[in-house]
Amino acid sequence: MTDASTSVDFEIVGREDFSPATYSLVVRHPLMAKAARPGQFVIVMSHESGERIPLTIADFDRETGTVTLVIQAVGKTTREMQQTCQIGTALYALVGPMGIPSRLGDARKVVCVGGGLGVAPVFPQARGFKENGAYVIGVLGFRSRDQIFWQDKFNSCCDELLLCTDDGSAGIKGLVSRGIELAIASHPDIDEVIAIGPPLMMKACAEVTRPHGIKTMVSLNPIMVDGTGMCGGCRVKLGDQVKFACVDGPDFDGHKVDFADLIMRLRRYAEQERTAVQRWSENCRMKDQIAPAGTPARAAPISDAFAELIDLYDPFDPFEQVKGG
Ligand SMILES: Cc1cc2nc3c(=O)[nH]c(=O)nc-3n(C[C@H](O)[C@H](O)[C@H](O)COP(=O)(O)OP(=O)(O)OC[C@H]3O[C@@H](n4cnc5c(N)ncnc54)[C@H](O)[C@@H]3O)c2cc1C
Ligand code: FES
């Protein structure tokens, strides 16, 4: 594991905005890039008094010494980062890689499924399976054509790629579960399905594969605090077993996960999260009003449309999660 003491800085050397709510940050960290494995995550602090948030390592490049994070602006910290994390700035802290790397194993034919933001974290797994010699079928789901990102990256590591959009504006009209059904219909020898996205999407994927007896791994995103197995915050239920996603996961057998418990636990702080984002957006507006003329703004003022998004956003609505990217 690497931390601030083993790296000079965590400079942001690249950034791309995929949609009004989804963006990627390419962060220079040669040690992290060297150590990272598919399925692992980092804990990030964007500034000294910022919240520590877990983010999946969506890509790593050992030659350039960088890791890529893809972030959906859903609450106070991720919205603040959307404004302040620009190329040339640096993150305050980046700890990792954390979690057990995905087991790429001996699977010969796999389906890698990503829904919305889940497209990003499934990429290193798709590439890892391909490097291991597996036949890789990618199934990517987005709300509509204008939300699609990283199609080129998946084309480079998938033998087949099925795009699914809710509105039919690109690829198959329908959810990723439809894409999995089509893949199973044309490939009776699939060894494993990996699905990453909103909890309800992963649950739906596990239900499609269950009758076929296809091993299905999902990556869980419960609320994490320390990320080291000490606080119990990221507790997840698998049948009658209790696991901690930060040290036992985040990948788990999708046929065993208690998704209702996961969703219930994710909702626990909804009120506090809403209050935090409202306070933060009010502060942003006030700072914007009192800044002397000519002062360079540290963060762009939050627009009315964005404020409306904060009020309307329901992080537990799978369509809202897919809508963000
Ligand atoms: C292993 C793991 C990997 C993740 N990878 C990504 C990723 O690659 N990209 C991405 O955009 N998001 C990822 N997340 C979720 C991300 O950590 C949360 O969106 C983020 O913490 C929200 O912070 P906030 O202040 O912006 O929003 P808040 O308003 O605080 O919360 C918004 C939502 O995020 C969830 N959340 C809040 N705090 C945490 C926390 N400390 N840990 C986990 N979830 C939290 C809550 O359930 C809530 O619904 C990951 C979570 C986990 C556990
Ligand atoms: S985050 Fe504390 S035990 Fe996993």
Side-chain angles (χ1 to χ4, degrees), residues 41 43 52 222-235 244-247:
F41 64 95
I43 291 195
R52 305 163 77 249
I223 291 183
M224 289 186 180
V225 183
D226 63 327
T228 61
M230 303 286 280
C231 71
C234 67
R235 200 185 72 189
F244 293 152
C246 64
V247 287

Side-chain angles (χ1 to χ4, degrees), residues 29-93:
H29 195 323
L31 280 177
M32 188 78 73
K34 202 171 161 191
R37 300 281 179 280
Q40 291 188 296
F41 64 95
V42 289
I43 291 195
V44 169
M45 281 173 80
S46 64
H47 58 83
E48 193 175 359
S49 52
E51 186 188 12
R52 305 163 77 249
I53 63 163
L55 296 168
T56 306
I57 301 172
D59 197 3
F60 48 87
D61 186 328
R62 295 189 174 119
E63 281 181 20
T64 58
T66 56
V67 293
T68 302
L69 311 171
V70 176
I71 305 166
Q72 188 169 17
V74 293
K76 186 211 166 236
T77 300
T78 47
R79 284 170 202 270
E80 188 178 43
M81 287 175 66
Q82 188 182 28
Q83 295 192 346
T84 58
C85 292
Q86 303 295 340
I87 294 175
T89 65
L91 298 172
Y92 176 73

Side-chain angles (χ1 to χ4, degrees), residues 57-295:
I57 301 172
D59 197 3
F60 48 87
D61 186 328
R62 295 189 174 119
E63 281 181 20
T64 58
T66 56
V67 293
T68 302
L69 311 171
V70 176
I71 305 166
Q72 188 169 17
V74 293
K76 186 211 166 236
T77 300
T78 47
R79 284 170 202 270
E80 188 178 43
M81 287 175 66
Q82 188 182 28
Q83 295 192 346
T84 58
C85 292
Q86 303 295 340
I87 294 175
T89 65
L91 298 172
Y92 176 73
L94 186 68
V95 180
M98 307 180 103
I100 298 176
S102 306
R103 290 182 186 83
L104 302 176
D106 315 319
R108 303 319 306 157
K109 192 174 274 189
V110 296
V111 183
C112 293
V113 186
L117 190 79
V119 165
V122 89
F123 170 71
Q125 302 201 35
R127 183 176 57 188
F129 277 115
K130 188 68 203 161
E131 285 168 358
N132 266 9
Y135 186 92
V136 181
I137 303 163
V139 175
L140 309 183
F142 298 92
R143 202 164 203 204
S144 66
R145 172 185 285 278
D146 57 2
Q147 312 267 314
I148 295 173
F149 65 90
W150 284 15
Q151 188 177 350
D152 51 340
K153 285 168 85 93
F154 280 88
N155 273 331
S156 71
C157 66
C158 291
D159 296 281
E160 289 178 42
L161 188 60
L162 295 172
L163 276 181
C164 308
T165 49
D166 296 358
D167 63 3
S169 53
I172 302 158
K173 186 175 189 310
L175 303 173
V176 287
S177 43
R178 177 74 191 125
I180 300 174
E181 282 166 358
L182 291 172
I184 293 174
S186 40
H187 298 274
D189 53 346
I190 291 167
D191 295 311
E192 186 172 339
V193 170
I194 300 91
I196 307 184
L200 287 177
M201 183 215 94
M202 295 191 284
K203 182 176 192 295
C205 294
E207 291 314 320
V208 171
T209 58
R210 194 190 297 276
H212 300 275
I214 300 172
K215 179 181 173 190
T216 300
M217 299 301 288
V218 295
S219 178
L220 302 187
N221 61 341
I223 291 183
M224 289 186 180
V225 183
D226 63 327
T228 61
M230 303 286 280
C231 71
C234 67
R235 200 185 72 189
V236 290
K237 278 195 202 160
L238 282 89
D240 55 4
Q241 285 188 310
V242 170
K243 300 276 183 189
F244 293 152
C246 64
V247 287
D248 300 322
D251 291 357
F252 292 102
D253 181 342
H255 293 150
K256 293 190 179 155
V257 171
D258 183 338
F259 284 100
D261 181 71
L262 175 71
I263 291 168
M264 189 264 292
R265 287 178 65 83
L266 278 167
R267 282 178 194 269
R268 279 197 310 177
Y269 303 106
E271 195 50 49
Q272 290 89 332
E273 286 156 359
R274 185 174 286 268
T275 306
V277 87
Q278 274 167 352
R279 275 205 200 113
W280 171 76
S281 63
E282 278 158 19
N283 280 342
C284 279
R285 286 196 193 100
M286 281 169 64
K287 272 190 209 145
D288 192 46
Q289 280 165 13
I290 59 173
T295 307

